[in-house]
Amino acid sequence: MLKSVVPARALPLSYPALRSPGSATTRPFTRSLWMLNNNGASSGYRPKLLSSKVLNPSVSCGCGGLHTEGDKAFGDFLSDEIKEEKKIQKNKSLPKMSGGWELEMNGTEAKLTKQLSGEKITVTFNVNNSIPPNFEEEVEQGQQQKSPEDEPEIVSTPNFVIEVTKQGAKHSLVFDCHFPEDEMSHGEGEEESDIFAIREVSFQPEGDSDWKETSYTLNTDSLDWALYDHMMDFLADRGVDNTFADELTELSTAIEHKEYIKFLEDLQSFVNCK
């Protein structure tokens, strides 16, 4: 069930940590820093994009395509970038979800499913656009570049859709959820609250992959709190609670980083005609 899975919300400049540093599966905000650093890649060379000179196609390449000094510099930069990203990659394999969830991947889309007393619970999310865009804005504001240890951490917080299907039912109960900005962290002494929130609820035809806009959709912005709490309890009874949400961000962060490295490798192969 795809509904608001890919689009990501805009997050504030001060992006709080979702969990304590000891338990988070995060990585330094390197990709934007790498691209915006005045010194360029670790090689110390930043290509002059407007002064690229065309080189004769490489004999060993055999593609007959255009090759420039800029292409070579681009390929060298990507090589350094890939090495740096692999160096800080914390999960070589995807972390496991507790609670009996089975993971199915389709590109950047992940689907978690489990069976529970005749019910099927499916959680779908997409890691595209799940990283907060605040780092570039901080650099533009003229802040001094921080050391890798002091850099803000990248945490993927995707929107996700929960689908609950009962045996014999024609429709599934579907929850469109997200991670609200004001619930991302808790100070000492504060009562723990839900780290995810329900945005919309609807009945959708069982088995349909797309959200039908012709079905009535309940928006929770003006919903009675008692009804909302019952909905959250309904999800918690089926294993979708704060622990699940915490593990989902850990899984999503690992998937996003893995896909980012794969993208850089594909881009390098494309640029180098390999």
Side-chain angles (χ1 to χ4, degrees):
M1 183 68 61
L2 297 179
K3 168 68 174 180
S4 303
V5 175
V6 175
R9 61 203 175 280
L11 297 180
L13 295 184
S14 57
Y15 182 74
L18 183 62
R19 60 185 77 77
S20 62
S23 63
T25 302
T26 55
R27 65 186 185 280
F29 237 126
T30 59
R31 66 185 62 169
S32 299
L33 174 64
W34 205 248
M35 300 300 290
L36 296 175
N37 191 318
N38 289 332
N39 294 326
S42 60
S43 62
Y45 173 72
R46 185 177 182 85
K48 297 180 180 180
L49 300 181
L50 298 181
S51 61
S52 297
K53 296 181 180 179
V54 177
L55 302 177
N56 292 327
S58 173
V59 177
S60 61
C61 177
C63 71
L66 179 67
H67 296 274
T68 69
E69 290 182 353
D71 292 345
K72 183 179 183 304
F74 193 9
D76 292 341
F77 172 85
L78 289 170
S79 179
D80 290 336
E81 179 78 351
I82 292 168
K83 290 178 183 177
E84 289 297 319
E85 289 296 330
K86 287 185 174 180
K87 186 185 302 183
I88 62 174
Q89 188 177 16
K90 295 185 177 181
N91 288 288
K92 304 303 180 183
S93 59
L94 297 180
K96 302 292 184 181
M97 296 283 294
S98 63
W101 295 94
E102 296 183 3
L103 174 64
E104 177 183 345
M105 293 296 305
N106 180 20
T108 59
E109 182 179 281
K111 180 183 291 186
L112 297 164
T113 59
K114 77 172 181 177
Q115 303 287 337
L116 184 65
S117 300
E119 291 185 359
K120 179 181 179 181
I121 301 96
T122 303
V123 179
T124 307
F125 64 92
N126 196 309
V127 300
N128 281 339
N129 302 312
S130 63
I131 298 297
N134 62 301
F135 182 72
E136 290 86 348
E137 298 176 23
E138 291 181 358
V139 173
E140 290 173 0
Q141 290 178 356
Q143 296 185 6
Q144 290 186 348
Q145 183 176 316
K146 301 178 181 178
S147 65
E149 293 77 12
D150 297 330
E151 291 171 12
E153 304 282 359
I154 286 183
V155 180
S156 172
T157 55
N159 300 330
F160 59 99
V161 172
I162 307 166
E163 184 177 358
V164 180
T165 305
K166 292 181 178 290
Q167 290 182 351
K170 295 181 179 179
H171 295 82
S172 299
L173 184 59
V174 183
F175 301 82
D176 178 19
C177 302
H178 70 122
F179 293 94
E181 299 137 18
D182 56 352
E183 298 292 347
M184 300 297 275
S185 63
H186 311 289
E188 293 185 6
E190 291 184 9
E191 182 180 353
E192 183 179 4
S193 58
D194 298 313
I195 62 177
F196 74 96
I198 302 170
R199 182 158 43 199
E200 294 179 339
V201 186
S202 178
F203 279 107
Q204 296 290 328
E206 195 274 328
D208 280 14
S209 59
D210 295 323
W211 185 292
K212 293 188 179 300
E213 299 296 341
T214 53
S215 298
Y216 178 78
T217 299
L218 177 65
N219 190 296
T220 61
D221 286 345
S222 58
L223 191 65
D224 176 79
W225 276 108
L227 177 56
Y228 182 86
D229 286 343
H230 279 297
M231 289 183 176
M232 292 296 290
D233 291 341
F234 177 87
L235 293 178
D237 290 341
R238 286 152 179 81
V240 182
D241 53 13
N242 274 0
T243 299
F244 172 86
D246 199 49
E247 292 181 357
L248 186 147
T249 59
E250 185 176 357
L251 173 62
S252 180
T253 300
I255 294 172
E256 199 280 338
H257 196 197
K258 181 179 179 181
E259 290 295 322
Y260 176 62
I261 293 175
K262 181 179 181 298
F263 172 81
L264 292 179
E265 292 174 336
D266 291 342
L267 183 58
Q268 183 188 36
S269 296
F270 185 87
V271 171
N272 294 337
C273 295
K274 292 182 179 179

